[in-house]
Each structure stands twice: as structure tokens, then as C-alpha cells.
Amino acid sequence: MKFDQFFFNEVDKVSVHFYIQHAHLDTIGTGVHQHKKAQLLYAEGGIVHIFVNDKHWYLPARCFMWIPANTPHSILTNSKSGDLYNFYFRTETEENDFYSITNIYYAG
């Protein structure tokens, strides 16, 4: 699946408070991009590679990753099984500092 500018334009619409996108893991490659909404990724099967600020993150199955709004990143996977769920959230002006840090969390 190749993400295109149309998709990112839909995510960044001001009138959209949140956006949910589901993709079956096959071959996903986004190239470096950023959006105005924060992103929560959840991998169900396979391994997803995420590149943020010259750092390579491995997102294993049953874990999720938080990417703050306006953070340049790219997503890549060649896993042949599983699903990737992306949740995009509009940010608020007065948010806790927790939401400005990229990190991976176990979804137990």
C-alpha cells in the first residue's frame, strides 16, 4: 500500500477531530511525511519499522506507538501477516508534556 498526499490531506482537515485508518500488513512504505494530528499506531502481527528524527524504531505485534503531531516520520514493513491500525488525533493547545514524546508501549 502506498500512502499518498490525498490521504494526508484528509487526515489534516481542520473539521476532522480524529481519523482512523486500517491496513493489512503486506508491503507498506510511506516515505517521510508529517501531519498536524498526533498518531497512535497499533501493530497486530508482524514488525513495523518507523523512522523518526534519524532514529529507527521497531514496533512489534501487540504494541502501540505514539507519534506527536508535526513530527516527520516514515513507516515501512514487509510483513506478510497482520494488521496496522492508525489513529490520528487533533491536538489541543494545552496538552500534557507526555503527548509530545515519541515512544512505544506494550498493549498487554
Side-chain angles (χ1 to χ4, degrees), residues 5-108:
Q5 194 57 45
F6 173 78
F7 172 75
F8 296 121
N9 288 341
E10 289 296 307
V11 167
D12 277 340
K13 283 185 177 177
V14 175
S15 62
V16 176
H17 293 269
F18 63 91
Y19 193 96
I20 300 171
Q21 189 260 345
H22 167 254
H24 179 72
L25 292 180
D26 187 1
T27 299
I28 296 175
T30 63
V32 178
H33 66 283
Q34 68 186 51
H35 26 78
K36 297 173 187 169
K37 289 186 174 53
Q39 182 175 2
L40 182 71
L41 293 90
Y42 175 75
E44 191 173 87
I47 294 178
V48 179
H49 303 271
I50 299 142
F51 301 88
V52 179
N53 298 328
D54 298 327
K55 187 172 181 181
H56 184 175
W57 297 77
Y58 294 95
L59 180 62
R62 298 191 227 316
C63 289
F64 63 92
M65 181 174 191
W66 179 258
I67 301 174
N70 301 307
T71 301
H73 61 282
S74 63
I75 301 169
L76 175 67
T77 186
N78 291 315
S79 295
K80 300 298 180 198
S81 64
D83 293 283
L84 181 65
Y85 298 89
N86 294 286
F87 304 87
Y88 301 88
F89 301 93
R90 186 170 72 181
T91 58
E92 302 298 327
T93 54
E94 297 294 322
E95 285 193 330
N96 186 298
D97 288 341
F98 172 85
Y99 297 107
S100 66
I101 299 169
T102 302
N103 209 347
I104 292 178
Y105 303 93
Y106 179 64

